[in-house]
Amino acid sequence: MTITADHGYDDLPRLMSRMTGDEKHDFAATSTLDVLWMLYDRVLDVTPERAEAPDRDRFLLSKGHGPMAYYAVLAAKGFVPEEWLPGFGSYDSPLGHHPDRVLVPGAEIGSGSLGHGLPLAVGGALGLRAQGLTDPAVWVLIGDAELDEGSNHEAIAYAGAAGLDRLHTVVVDNASASHALPGGIAARFEAANWSTATVDGRDHAALYEAFTAPHPGRPHAVVARVEPKNAR
């Protein structure tokens, strides 16, 4: 097994194309690609060598259905070997239709049940604070449809009240929520004392600026808007 980490952004489509089979959830994957790349390439303080380090940044993929972009980025950054990709979703592959933290190097949680990732991230940020680990950042990527789940509403309210300023949420907004007010995602977080930014989810410069914006004393939410799911 050989793991290399010399891939760039332009190589991600090739890496994703190596994953074939049913239940690909292609759009769920491609909607997250730019966000994932910018986080792993320029923001997250975590590497394959430091994947278990106590002071590493944590990234939680709550939008776990259609994880091909996640697997491609993990392969590009050397967390998993590229030769695992063609086996995606097969019986004996560690790369399942939803990531498994026990099987996928670098994965912090097993995901798939919508609405679980943000509460887990809140707990993770609270746990790091309790241990006196103030440097590691906790990032969680969720889909706009997950905000239909009440567990996220409770997590948003608690994190803002607790001032969890090492907590960061990226909401990939592809207009797939059933009960959302269009354009109202950021306002939902702001009402609970979060810092927010809304940007084009394909614009790397805008994503980086939003991801690195200071937010002392408050958690931070970035709404990354991409093509509407039903427009494809």
Side-chain angles (χ1 to χ4, degrees), residues 102-115:
V102 176
L103 300 178
V104 182
E108 295 283 354
I109 61 171
S111 55
S113 296
L114 297 181

Side-chain angles (χ1 to χ4, degrees), residues 3-230:
I3 298 180
T4 58
D6 57 356
H7 302 286
Y9 174 79
D10 291 341
D11 202 31
L12 294 179
R14 182 189 66 81
L15 293 173
M16 289 185 66
S17 72
R18 300 201 65 187
M19 289 172 272
T20 59
D22 296 332
E23 298 298 325
K24 287 190 65 176
H25 288 285
D26 294 54
F27 190 70
T30 56
S31 68
T32 65
L33 185 62
D34 296 274
V35 165
L36 287 166
W37 176 255
M38 289 304 297
L39 285 173
Y40 274 92
D41 191 56
R42 299 190 60 187
V43 177
L44 293 173
D45 182 13
V46 63
T47 63
E49 296 76 24
R50 299 186 63 252
E52 301 296 329
D55 62 346
R56 73 189 183 280
D57 286 348
R58 275 75 167 170
F59 172 76
L60 284 61
L61 180 68
S62 185
K63 187 180 171 69
H65 56 294
M68 289 84 66
Y70 182 49
Y71 294 153
V73 171
L74 289 179
K77 291 300 178 181
F79 289 88
V80 303
E82 183 179 335
E83 53 262 37
W84 282 9
L85 300 180
F88 163 73
S90 61
Y91 175 77
D92 58 351
S93 173
L95 305 182
H97 292 138
H98 296 85
D100 186 325
R101 72 176 184 85
V102 176
L103 300 178
V104 182
E108 295 283 354
I109 61 171
S111 55
S113 296
L114 297 181
H116 287 183
L118 182 53
L120 287 171
V122 170
L126 195 63
L128 289 170
R129 173 188 282 184
Q131 297 175 70
L133 295 172
T134 57
D135 289 334
V138 177
W139 288 81
V140 57
L141 191 159
I142 70 176
D144 63 310
E146 289 190 68
L147 294 176
D148 290 344
E149 301 291 338
S151 55
N152 279 318
H153 183 77
E154 294 178 8
I156 292 168
Y158 179 84
L164 295 179
D165 57 2
R166 301 307 292 156
L167 175 64
H168 308 75
T169 299
V170 184
V171 184
V172 174
D173 180 10
N174 64 1
S176 61
S178 300
H179 309 296
L181 177 68
I185 294 176
R188 184 171 180 176
F189 284 87
E190 290 167 2
N193 194 41
W194 286 61
S195 166
T196 68
T198 300
V199 298
D200 181 346
R202 302 301 187 191
D203 185 329
H204 289 191
L207 285 170
Y208 181 74
E209 182 178 359
F211 290 164
T212 57
H215 50 95
R218 296 193 292 168
H220 186 51
V222 176
V223 181
R225 290 177 171 168
V226 295
E227 308 81 11
K229 179 179 180 180
N230 294 328

